[in-house]
């Protein structure tokens, strides 16, 4: 329980760091780079021990499995942890969901909400020097949002992961 609260705290601290990013302005109202989970639905729970939590169901089963296998292999081979979280809305409290898969001190999380039109890249304590706010904003603007605007959520997320790994040496 303490680990879960710690994980939630770290994720939220990381997410609040994303709130300081300038909002991306593109012709077709792109996703904004900020999140408020104060109203997350009560029945929305992330699965423990997974790297991909598609709570919004924007990925196909095959895409979800492919990303999961890729991220598990990445962690096993390099020790780098990247998590994916998609969220459907902001209708309940933060305490109704958590990620309990070791994202306590290191790792990066990509958060996408198709329905809220928002995207963010959160960083944990030990990875805060890997991606500056400006770098995260550029990754979102140039690698993730163009695909999300086309409805290609998998490609946008995958592009974000690839670009993050280029910076994470």
């Amino acid at each position: 329980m303490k680990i879960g609260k710690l994980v939630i705290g770290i994720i939220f601290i990381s997410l609040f760091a994303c709130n300081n990013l300038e909002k991306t302005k593109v012709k077709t109202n792109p996703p904004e780079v900020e999140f408020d989970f104060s109203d997350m639905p009560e029945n929305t729970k992330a699965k423990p021990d997974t790297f991909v939590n598609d709570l919004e169901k924007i990925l196909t089963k095959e895409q979800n499995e492919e990303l999961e296998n890729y991220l598990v292999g990445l962690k096993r081979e390099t020790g780098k942890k990247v998590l994916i979280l998609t969220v459907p809305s902001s209708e309940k409290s933060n305490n109704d969901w958590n990620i309990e898969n070791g994202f306590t001190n290191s790792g990066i999380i990509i958060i996408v909400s198709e329905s809220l039109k928002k995207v963010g890249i959160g960083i944990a304590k030990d990875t805060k020097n890997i991606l500056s706010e400006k770098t995260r904003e550029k990754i979102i603007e140039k690698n993730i949002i163009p695909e999300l605007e086309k409805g290609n959520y998998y490609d946008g997320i995958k592009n974000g992961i690839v670009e993050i790994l280029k910076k994470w040496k």
Side-chain angles (χ1 to χ4, degrees):
M1 188 63 160
K2 289 181 182 179
I3 292 175
K5 289 181 181 179
L6 177 63
V7 170
I8 290 172
I10 291 171
I11 289 173
F12 283 5
I13 289 169
S14 299
L15 291 176
F16 289 124
C18 293
N19 282 339
N20 293 330
L21 297 177
E22 293 181 24
K23 293 181 180 176
T24 306
K25 301 292 180 194
V26 179
K27 300 175 189 174
T28 60
N29 295 331
E32 298 173 8
V33 184
E34 59 182 59
F35 278 92
D36 174 17
F37 294 111
S38 60
D39 294 331
M40 181 67 76
E42 186 172 335
N43 64 350
T44 304
K45 302 267 187 205
K47 299 174 204 152
D49 301 321
T50 61
F51 287 76
V52 180
N53 282 280
D54 183 18
L55 306 179
E56 193 168 20
K57 306 296 183 213
I58 59 175
L59 301 171
T60 66
K61 181 180 178 184
E62 294 78 17
Q63 291 170 335
N64 195 316
E65 289 174 0
E66 185 176 325
L67 279 174
E68 181 73 24
N69 291 335
Y70 177 72
L71 296 174
V72 166
L74 178 70
K75 171 73 169 126
R76 183 177 43 249
E77 294 170 20
T78 67
K80 297 175 181 175
K81 181 171 265 189
V82 178
L83 303 178
I84 307 301
L85 175 65
T86 69
V87 292
S89 66
S90 56
E91 297 175 358
K92 194 61 179 160
S93 79
N94 308 345
N95 298 328
D96 291 331
W97 68 275
N98 61 43
I99 297 176
E100 298 176 345
N101 58 358
F103 190 71
T104 54
N105 292 320
S106 65
I108 294 174
I109 184 168
I110 299 173
I111 304 168
V112 176
S113 178
E114 187 270 336
S115 59
L116 297 174
K117 303 293 185 214
K118 295 181 181 182
V119 61
I121 298 174
I123 52 176
K125 180 181 171 184
D126 290 349
T127 52
K128 67 181 178 183
N129 296 325
I130 294 169
L131 298 174
S132 67
E133 286 184 37
K134 188 173 185 174
T135 301
R136 292 191 311 257
E137 182 179 335
K138 284 181 184 178
I139 291 171
I140 290 168
E141 288 176 6
K142 294 181 180 182
N143 302 99
I144 299 175
I145 289 177
E147 292 300 325
L148 297 186
E149 288 179 331
K150 298 177 196 173
N152 299 331
Y153 301 102
Y154 172 82
D155 292 337
I157 292 168
K158 185 76 173 199
N159 290 351
I161 294 168
V162 168
E163 195 61 30
I164 287 168
L165 292 176
K166 287 179 185 177
K167 310 287 184 203
W168 192 352
K169 298 179 180 185

